[in-house]
Each structure stands twice: as C-alpha cells, then as structure tokens.
Amino acid sequence: CAQMLVTTEQRAIINRWNDEKRLSSCPFGANDDWYWMAASVATELGMRVVSNDQMRDHRLALLEQRPFLRWKTTQMIRFDLSHPHQLAAMNHSDWLDPEVHLQETAPFSAEIQSSQTPDGRTTWHIPIKSPHSKSGGSEEGMVKQ
C-alpha cells in the first residue's frame, strides 16, 4: 500500500476543519465505518456520507435488511472521478486533478410503501420513472387500494 504525504495546503485544510469542529477522529485500530455511520443518524444537521463503500460487511451486523437499505439509499452519496488519480504524475505541470462528480441521493425512498388513510383504506406509494425527468430519476406515483 503506497503512503501519501499530506501537503502543506492539505494540512491547512485539516487544521481549519479541526478548528471549526468539522472533523472528528477515531482511535487507532478502531473501525472508522462505525463512527461515520453513527454520525449520519446522530446529528440534527442532516449529515450525509460521501462514500462508494458498498457496506457488505456491515449490513447484517447493524439493522434488519430493509431499514439498513433505506438508510444506505438516503444517507450515502456516491462519487465518481473524471479520471484516475496518478501519484507518479503529481509532479508534472500538465497534470490536472480529477474532478469529483457526486451522485446525489433521491429525494424519497425508491421502494414501494403503504400508508393508511383516515377512513382506514390503504394507499400505496409506488416510485415510477418519469419520461420527463431531467435527471432520469424516479417520481412518486400513488395507487389507491
């Protein structure tokens, strides 16, 4: 595993985040995943997680499958890079840092849900893909039973 040195600029950002109480750390050897997962639900600030971690090793240890998947799809923002980061090219003047593209979470859960109306009937909320959606995402449709 290659080690990366923290630049002076990066150290300044880390120090600023520490001063602003935006950065927290966990004890050496501890599983950091537990810390950021807990922080995503323990804050009133609506914190979400930016990660491509599929969390396969935590799913069974945390919650039942359905609540865990709901948390994962609403709290985790995925990302992609415009091109690979190459350590060997960092000293070259023509090297451009990769752009980070965030894949925002949907504004609502993409699973079928039901609710009870005041008169006791069941209303089903079914996410459907809209042909008019600019992002290609889902929009919620409703079916009454």
Side-chain angles (χ1 to χ4, degrees):
C1 180
Q3 290 187 353
M4 292 179 49
L5 296 177
V6 176
T7 66
T8 304
E9 293 166 340
Q10 293 167 336
R11 177 59 58 198
I13 292 169
I14 292 169
N15 291 339
R16 188 180 79 234
W17 286 352
N18 269 323
D19 293 344
E20 294 171 355
K21 306 284 189 242
R22 292 176 170 243
L23 186 66
S24 61
S25 59
C26 58
F28 180 78
N31 186 341
D32 65 315
D33 292 358
W34 296 108
Y35 289 81
W36 59 259
M37 286 187 290
S40 75
V41 295
T43 180
E44 295 177 8
L45 301 176
M47 185 184 105
R48 291 184 294 163
V49 174
V50 177
S51 175
N52 283 338
D53 190 335
Q54 292 298 312
M55 310 220 17
R56 291 182 197 101
D57 52 339
H58 300 299
R59 182 178 57 81
L60 297 175
L62 291 173
L63 298 168
E64 296 295 322
Q65 182 173 357
R66 188 170 181 181
F68 178 77
L69 291 175
R70 185 174 293 156
W71 169 82
K72 184 176 162 183
T73 58
T74 60
Q75 299 300 311
M76 292 187 71
I77 299 172
R78 304 289 179 200
F79 70 91
D80 196 12
L81 301 176
S82 60
H83 58 273
H85 183 63
Q86 298 174 355
L87 290 175
M90 286 180 62
N91 295 330
H92 299 282
S93 60
D94 61 343
W95 173 251
L96 296 175
D97 287 332
E99 292 180 17
V100 178
H101 303 278
L102 298 178
Q103 301 164 6
E104 286 287 339
T105 59
F108 54 84
S109 175
E111 63 186 49
I112 296 173
Q113 301 178 49
S114 66
S115 60
Q116 295 294 318
T117 62
D119 62 0
R121 295 187 314 166
T122 301
T123 299
W124 291 93
H125 307 271
I126 303 171
I128 57 174
K129 210 169 250 273
S130 169
H132 306 293
S133 173
K134 291 179 183 174
S135 66
S138 298
E139 293 180 3
E140 187 172 5
M142 291 176 55
V143 175
K144 293 186 178 181
Q145 178 176 330

